[in-house]
Amino acid sequence: MPSRKDLANAIRALSMDAVQKAASGHPGAPMGLADIAEVLWNDFLSHNPANPAWPNRDRFILSNGHGSMLLYSLLHLTGYDLSIDEIKNFRQLHSRTPGHPEYNRAPGIETTTGPLGQGIANAVGMALGERTLAARFNRPGYPLIDHYTYVFAGDGCLMEGISHEVCSLAGTLGLGKLIAFYDDNGISIDGEVEGWFTDDTPKRFEAYGWHVIAKVDGHDSEAIRRAIDEARSRTEIPSLICCKTIIGWGSPNKQGTESCHGAPLGENEVHLVRETIGWPHAAFEIPDAVYSAWNAKTEGENRERQWNELFGQYRLRYPDLAEEFERRLAKKLPSTWEQSTAEFIAETDAKAQKIASRKASQNCISAYAPLLPELIGGSADLAGSNLTLWPQAKNVNRDDRSGNYIFYGVREFGMAAIMNGLSLYGGFIPFGATFLTFSDYCRNALRLSALMNTRAIYVFTHDSIGLGEDGPTHQPVEHLASLRLIPNMQVWRPCDAVESAVAWKAAIENLEGPTCLVFSRQALPHQNRCAAQIQTIRRGGYILVECEGQPDAILIATGSEVGLAVRAAAVLTNQGKKIRVVSMPCTNAFDRQEREYRESILPPSVTARISIEAGSTDFWYKYVGFSGRTIGIDRFGESAPGDILFEEFNLTPEHIVATSEQIL
């Protein structure tokens, strides 16, 4: 029977061999964390390699994702569909073992990590998901959702500011089934961290309201096991297990130094490691006895079978809840969704209100949230400005676990990453809000959201200089263009309440990635449309105002500038010009339409085109061409009332008319 050290050494060997073969990678973290991972995965982790999507599995997140070979080794050894050939193919083109773990690339990877700190943030989201889903569906004697969320994090993760944001909130919310392991090896890329990281980490987490287990020997299996037992017993608050480890453990010449952090050990050192740790096997060779001791398939299948039996009894006792549980995990919308949303959009059109699109957004949430118990919202301390609360909103807090609204506090980055965790967890459609200019604080989490295709909705209000007196620090200029450039990201900027209703519906129905909904502070006029036009809004761009025959010029606008374009078109039409106004609330959606549709909206033969948007203009040349014109803002704003600023920056019907006359 292999010893614990033999089992841990299998991780070390696979990790150093894969990095050596790839000629790149990070062997130090996997070798240092191998003993902790062995105890956690063999003694505690509840999972089923045959079904990585089993709802009641424990979640394991490697926040220090550069140590990806630790995770790949664990998945391979425990029986997931990740072959030894994929381990050998580490960091190669189209492999299932890329340099950092990628969600959906290989089974068992719960989230994409690598940008430090975001993994632990995702873990907070998953722990919040476990607590909230359990409160919604568990019944006495039927603990459908009852598991832990484990996360490994290193010095780098805890240096990142996002770790403060999310760990502070986790303590406040009392996420007691979240257990984090701090890999305290004292080394980062630049060397010994004592030159730039001397925080008293245990006291820091105690101040957050965590249970802290300090000074655990990360290479002593019994000490690790005792620490995990203690952490699991404290279900009222999250736990941090501070493990003192040696990076690159087993490497006689490189362990404990930065030289084994992000580079192969070298053939000679790999040979010495084998001698030092007593691993006589060839590269990528794992003895059958070690494979057998690691294999978690039988136990995992037994655990899931027991859970399935419990769920079968639950279904008999609570059939409606069981059906709702399955619907939410399957990401299916309620049967009433299509009719109810169509009725709401029609009612919104009939009201013809002039309101701020942020208020229109709130109306959408109030209408759609009662249809979607899986919708869980929040705001980064701007609920009263973002208008994200609705009548049925119920605060998520440590005393009541069944809420549907999260007061994130001033934690934009943490909010976005927690939303990713909630989305990945399953059973939720998360949305979170802040001002558009503060999307910069969320940026890397937005990018990972798009990379993972998570179903997350980002509500960004105060979308332009129209917010007025708060000035250029709060007035976004480049943000719309930069968000549109993120692959898989849908960015909607509606021009009125009707487009807002369609945008919200499209965001909720988007299963292919995240959505940004961008709303105004100032009131926007209602635009008149027929039913057919309303149906085409979701295509991202459509003809709002049409002329007879081929247009002389096409005005393309979004958001608050659509109303300006319509007014300018009326003036030009009275002058005998044939003008088409195209509202383009979502360029990403428009670009995905078939060529025939796109050219019906923007005929190639019409080269007199003008874009109007209160933001950077460079983005718009793809639609207006070099013969067209762009009207926008390519400098920072000013502090003044919004209507004054629109005059100051030439965002007026008069300027649109004058520009049109220049190119006609």
Side-chain angles (χ1 to χ4, degrees):
M1 180 69 181
S3 67
R4 282 193 179 277
K5 195 61 73 175
D6 290 332
L7 300 181
N9 285 342
I11 296 173
R12 294 185 172 102
L14 285 175
S15 298
M16 69 178 182
D17 289 341
V19 170
Q20 191 64 36
K21 185 175 187 297
S24 72
H26 300 76
M31 296 173 73
L33 284 165
D35 295 306
I36 305 169
E38 187 278 321
V39 174
L40 175 64
W41 279 62
N42 282 325
D43 290 11
F44 295 96
L45 197 73
S46 178
H47 63 120
N48 182 8
N51 181 15
W54 172 38
N56 199 42
R57 68 190 181 279
D58 288 337
R59 270 55 168 188
F60 174 79
I61 297 91
L62 182 68
S63 188
N64 44 344
H66 55 270
S68 56
M69 268 310 306
L70 173 73
L71 180 55
Y72 300 147
S73 298
L74 289 164
L75 295 174
H76 170 71
L77 290 167
T78 55
Y80 285 80
D81 182 18
L82 192 66
S83 68
I84 193 67
D85 288 334
E86 290 292 349
I87 301 295
K88 294 177 181 179
N89 209 25
F90 178 55
R91 286 184 162 231
Q92 305 308 302
L93 184 63
H94 303 313
S95 77
R96 304 176 82 188
T97 51
H100 293 82
E102 295 181 25
Y103 176 69
N104 266 344
R105 182 62 69 93
I109 298 174
E110 300 285 0
T111 183
T112 298
T113 58
L116 294 176
Q118 288 197 65
I120 195 168
N122 296 161
V124 171
M126 292 177 188
L128 181 59
E130 187 273 341
R131 194 179 78 164
T132 305
L133 204 66
R136 301 269 187 95
F137 288 99
N138 287 3
R139 293 296 181 269
Y142 296 93
L144 287 191
I145 300 299
D146 182 19
H147 66 80
Y148 288 86
T149 300
Y150 299 101
V151 56
F152 282 7
D155 292 298
C157 290
L158 299 191
M159 282 187 245
E160 289 284 1
I162 190 174
S163 71
H164 163 75
E165 295 184 27
V166 300
C167 294
S168 168
L169 186 60
T172 298
L173 295 177
L175 301 181
K177 301 187 82 173
L178 170 64
I179 299 176
F181 295 81
Y182 168 34
D183 180 24
D184 182 13
N185 60 37
I187 296 293
S188 65
I189 292 175
D190 285 348
E192 296 181 7
V193 300
E194 64 182 13
W196 47 87
F197 185 54
T198 57
D199 302 13
D200 190 329
T201 298
K203 287 185 178 178
R204 170 186 164 191
F205 275 78
E206 287 173 358
Y208 292 152
W210 287 51
H211 172 60
V212 176
I213 306 169
K215 299 180 180 178
V216 175
D217 183 345
H219 302 295
D220 182 336
S221 298
E222 282 305 304
I224 297 165
R225 186 186 58 76
R226 289 193 301 270
I228 297 174
D229 274 330
E230 180 181 338
R232 285 165 58 96
S233 71
R234 296 295 300 272
T235 57
E236 77 284 5
I237 55 175
S239 292
L240 179 73
I241 302 175
C242 301
C243 298
K244 194 65 182 176
T245 63
I246 299 173
I247 190 171
W249 188 95
S251 174
N253 297 304
K254 295 188 176 184
Q255 69 176 25
T257 70
E258 67 273 17
S259 62
C260 65
H261 172 87
L265 298 178
E267 292 292 349
N268 290 338
E269 190 70 11
V270 166
H271 175 73
L272 291 175
V273 170
R274 281 185 155 75
E275 291 184 348
T276 300
I277 68 176
W279 187 263
H281 315 289
F284 302 106
E285 180 183 312
I286 304 295
D288 290 342
V290 172
Y291 269 130
S292 179
W294 266 109
N295 195 298
K297 283 185 176 180
T298 300
E299 184 176 355
E301 289 170 355
N302 287 337
R303 288 178 186 268
E304 184 172 357
R305 184 176 62 254
Q306 293 169 8
W307 184 87
N308 287 335
E309 292 171 357
L310 177 70
F311 186 70
Q313 297 167 11
Y314 180 88
R315 187 195 301 279
L316 294 174
R317 183 76 179 272
Y318 305 104
D320 292 343
L321 280 175
E323 183 179 355
E324 176 68 6
F325 181 81
E326 292 181 314
R327 180 192 71 78
R328 286 174 58 168
L329 291 184
K331 299 182 180 180
K332 293 182 179 179
L333 293 170
S335 59
T336 58
W337 172 253
E338 200 59 44
Q339 180 178 343
S340 297
T341 53
E343 291 173 354
F344 173 72
I345 293 169
E347 290 169 4
T348 302
D349 182 56
K351 290 179 180 177
Q353 291 179 307
K354 179 180 180 179
I355 57 174
S357 57
R358 62 170 176 161
K359 178 59 180 175
S361 169
Q362 186 180 45
N363 293 342
C364 295
I365 298 169
S366 297
Y368 295 163
L371 306 174
L372 297 167
E374 61 265 47
L375 195 67
I376 184 165
S379 174
D381 202 50
L382 288 169
S385 296
N386 300 143
L387 301 185
T388 46
L389 287 169
W390 69 99
Q392 297 83 12
K394 181 181 178 183
N395 179 24
V396 173
N397 57 67
R398 68 189 304 151
D399 298 318
D400 187 344
R401 306 182 174 197
S402 61
N404 57 5
Y405 193 86
I406 304 163
F407 287 94
Y408 282 103
V410 188
R411 300 180 176 98
E412 295 91 349
F413 192 6
M415 173 183 71
I418 287 171
M419 287 166 58
N420 282 340
L422 280 166
S423 179
L424 293 167
Y425 182 82
F428 295 98
I429 304 174
F431 76 83
T434 187
F435 291 169
L436 178 57
T437 192
F438 300 140
S439 63
D440 287 340
Y441 282 143
C442 309
R443 180 73 184 199
N444 205 256
L446 288 170
R447 186 174 186 273
L448 286 190
S449 187
L451 180 61
M452 294 187 285
N453 301 101
T454 62
R455 190 188 195 184
I457 301 172
Y458 301 94
V459 177
F460 296 129
T461 69
H462 295 61
D463 68 345
S464 71
I465 58 170
L467 68 87
E469 293 86 345
D470 277 339
T473 60
H474 284 54
Q475 294 166 1
V477 174
E478 73 280 16
H479 299 74
L480 284 165
S482 67
L483 290 172
R484 289 171 178 143
L485 292 174
I486 301 175
N488 302 329
M489 181 70 75
Q490 296 284 299
V491 181
W492 286 82
R493 187 177 185 238
C495 75
D496 65 2
V498 175
E499 284 192 0
S500 297
V502 174
W504 257 107
K505 183 175 187 289
I508 289 167
E509 293 175 355
N510 182 14
L511 296 177
E512 298 178 4
T515 303
C516 294
L517 299 176
V518 181
F519 299 115
S520 72
R521 176 181 184 269
Q522 73 273 27
L524 306 181
H526 170 76
Q527 301 298 329
N528 294 318
R529 306 173 185 81
C530 66
Q533 286 174 302
I534 292 175
Q535 288 298 314
T536 57
I537 292 173
R538 69 174 297 121
R539 303 188 80 166
Y542 66 101
I543 300 171
L544 179 62
V545 176
E546 184 60 300
C547 58
E548 292 186 7
Q550 178 164 296
D552 296 323
I554 300 175
L555 307 181
I556 310 167
T558 78
S560 53
E561 291 71 68
V562 170
L564 303 179
V566 170
R567 289 164 60 191
V571 173
L572 291 165
T573 300
N574 288 335
Q575 295 176 358
K577 306 293 194 303
K578 293 188 290 185
I579 305 297
R580 172 182 292 181
V581 177
V582 171
S583 177
M584 196 173 287
C586 184
T587 61
N588 313 94
F590 181 75
D591 290 347
R592 295 176 66 180
Q593 304 304 311
E594 65 275 15
R595 180 177 178 179
E596 181 180 5
Y597 177 78
R598 286 183 278 117
E599 292 188 351
S600 74
I601 304 301
L602 301 175
S605 57
V606 181
T607 58
R609 304 178 185 180
I610 302 173
S611 67
I612 309 105
E613 184 174 72
S616 298
T617 61
D618 284 355
F619 172 85
W620 286 99
Y621 284 103
K622 66 186 287 189
Y623 300 107
V624 303
F626 292 120
S627 300
R629 297 287 189 276
T630 60
I631 297 175
I633 303 174
D634 291 314
R635 50 158 287 198
F636 293 117
E638 299 282 351
S639 176
D643 55 347
I644 300 297
L645 291 174
F646 270 79
E647 293 279 350
E648 172 72 13
F649 285 91
N650 285 324
L651 287 161
T652 64
E654 293 77 15
H655 183 64
I656 298 170
V657 169
T659 304
S660 301
E661 291 171 342
Q662 292 173 10
I663 63 173
L664 286 174

